[in-house]
Amino acid sequence: MELRQLKYFLKAKELLNFTEAATALFISQSTLSQQIKQLEDELQVPLFNRIGKRITLTEAGDLFSVYAQQSVNKATDGFELLKDLNNLETGKVAIGVTYALRHVVTKALIVFSSEFPKIQFEIVFGTSQELIQKLNHFELDVILTFEEIASEAHFKYRELFTSPMALVTSAETSLKNKKSISLSEVSSLPLALPSNGFSTTQFINKAFKKDRLNPKVTIEINDIPTLLELIKTGKWHTILTKTTIENEKDLHAIPIKGENMTRTAMLISLKEVYEKKAVIAFLKTLMDNLK
């Protein structure tokens, strides 16, 4: 059963004349008659009584017409929905974000939503591992995180920018005037770090291990906003990418000296998955906003 056949049937029902229906549909009468006959054969019941040149609906035809009309209406609604989708009049974007990149997403979201107010967004915060897992399960369209190595063949990686690793401290501590700091100096300070599930902590722990340093970590916490509140007291320091504390007036970031002490912010999506038009448009806004 084809949508075309349903439209032919409904036009014939409306006009009760195959010749007039064929003319209205811009097809030949023989084509119309053939298509309706194929539909009747598939349904195994006649839809029209054929009396000479006149036709009337059978009981089956009358009952079937209700569902045929619903099918055509649903298909039309579907076409309109896809049209709206292409014109960014509807749609949903699901984005995973690590806390350090929240400002990047927020700025782009404000700009994009002013131009396309009907697009819905789902913003999910989490560690890189959590977000990658959600991406693999098709729960997210794209994630923004720090990833130095494009290691998964089924992912598409797009670099955004780099950010130095920094000692984050209270703006009121004596360290605030330092322009940079060594990893050795950092290891001697009382530290509060994100828990091991965060890629930033994994990154910095490898750096400590490489330099054979034993940092004084007294607190591990899996919530970055709470961690930053602790740092503002001046009793502890932490290590994050510099971009993490953008717009945080009570905190100060001191770049850490040394090789490979920068991280690369990336967009990660699945290679073989259709990329929604709304996602493409939002990512363009995001990248334009970074220029």
Side-chain angles (χ1 to χ4, degrees):
M1 187 183 303
E2 298 178 11
L3 189 61
R4 179 182 70 250
Q5 293 173 326
L6 298 181
K7 290 180 177 179
Y8 291 176
F9 160 68
L10 289 170
K11 182 56 71 174
K13 167 192 173 288
E14 176 189 344
L15 299 176
L16 290 178
N17 186 298
F18 281 176
T19 301
E20 292 179 13
T23 301
L25 293 164
F26 302 101
I27 60 174
S28 67
Q29 181 178 336
S30 61
T31 298
L32 177 66
S33 298
Q34 183 184 41
Q35 290 296 312
I36 288 179
K37 184 65 170 64
Q38 287 180 6
L39 181 60
E40 289 176 323
D41 288 345
E42 185 175 349
L43 295 172
Q44 298 183 342
V45 63
L47 299 173
F48 293 100
N49 295 307
R50 293 161 175 82
I51 309 167
K53 292 184 178 181
R54 295 188 304 112
I55 59 171
T56 61
L57 277 176
T58 64
E59 180 184 29
D62 187 43
L63 293 171
F64 179 70
S65 67
V66 176
Y67 297 96
Q69 188 64 63
Q70 289 176 353
S71 296
V72 171
N73 289 346
K74 288 291 185 183
T76 301
D77 290 345
F79 288 132
E80 288 300 317
L81 183 66
L82 292 179
K83 183 179 177 182
D84 287 345
L85 204 62
N86 284 331
N87 293 331
L88 298 178
E89 291 291 323
T90 189
K92 182 178 180 180
V93 179
I95 302 175
V97 191
T98 53
Y99 186 82
L101 294 169
R102 69 196 186 285
H103 297 301
V104 175
V105 172
T106 301
K107 290 176 182 177
L109 185 59
I110 292 169
V111 174
F112 183 85
S113 294
S114 65
E115 185 175 357
F116 304 106
K118 295 182 181 179
I119 301 297
Q120 296 180 329
F121 279 84
E122 179 185 2
I123 310 294
V124 178
F125 284 93
T127 66
S128 295
Q129 291 177 351
E130 291 168 344
L131 297 177
I132 285 173
Q133 186 175 17
K134 287 182 180 292
L135 184 63
N136 273 323
H137 285 85
F138 305 98
E139 295 174 31
L140 298 171
D141 296 311
V142 65
I143 63 175
L144 281 78
T145 185
F146 283 99
E147 189 82 8
E148 283 67 47
I149 302 172
S151 56
E152 298 290 342
H154 65 291
F155 284 156
K156 178 164 65 175
Y157 296 85
R158 286 166 278 191
E159 292 188 12
L160 293 175
F161 59 87
T162 59
S163 179
M165 293 299 295
L167 178 75
V168 177
T169 185
S170 167
E172 301 302 320
T173 67
S174 58
L175 295 170
K176 64 182 180 180
N177 294 321
K178 291 182 73 69
K179 300 298 181 183
S180 63
I181 191 168
S182 70
L183 203 58
S184 177
E185 289 176 277
V186 170
S187 68
S188 66
L189 299 171
L191 297 175
L193 296 181
S195 56
N196 282 327
F198 288 80
S199 64
T200 296
T201 300
Q202 295 170 7
F203 179 92
I204 202 65
N205 281 342
K206 287 180 182 178
F208 280 132
K209 188 174 182 180
K210 180 182 175 183
D211 289 359
R212 298 180 180 179
L213 297 171
N214 295 309
K216 298 164 70 174
V217 181
T218 56
I219 297 176
E220 290 186 1
I221 189 167
N222 69 350
D223 182 71
I224 302 299
T226 303
L227 172 62
L228 295 182
E229 288 303 311
L230 291 174
I231 304 308
K232 289 175 184 178
T233 66
K235 294 181 179 180
W236 300 274
H237 313 275
T238 192
I239 303 169
L240 298 167
T241 52
K242 188 176 180 181
T243 188
T244 307
I245 65 160
E246 186 178 337
N247 299 330
E248 293 281 354
K249 296 179 180 178
D250 297 328
L251 295 172
H252 181 64
I254 307 167
I256 299 174
K257 293 184 288 189
E259 293 184 6
N260 303 318
M261 291 306 291
T262 60
R263 305 208 63 198
T264 303
M266 285 191 179
L267 292 169
I268 306 177
S269 56
L270 292 166
K271 275 185 181 177
E272 304 301 326
V273 174
Y274 168 76
E275 195 163 50
K276 302 172 185 175
K277 192 164 184 178
V279 172
I280 295 171
F282 176 73
L283 295 184
K284 182 179 183 304
T285 298
L286 187 147
M287 290 179 176
D288 288 346
N289 220 43
L290 290 172
K291 291 177 181 178

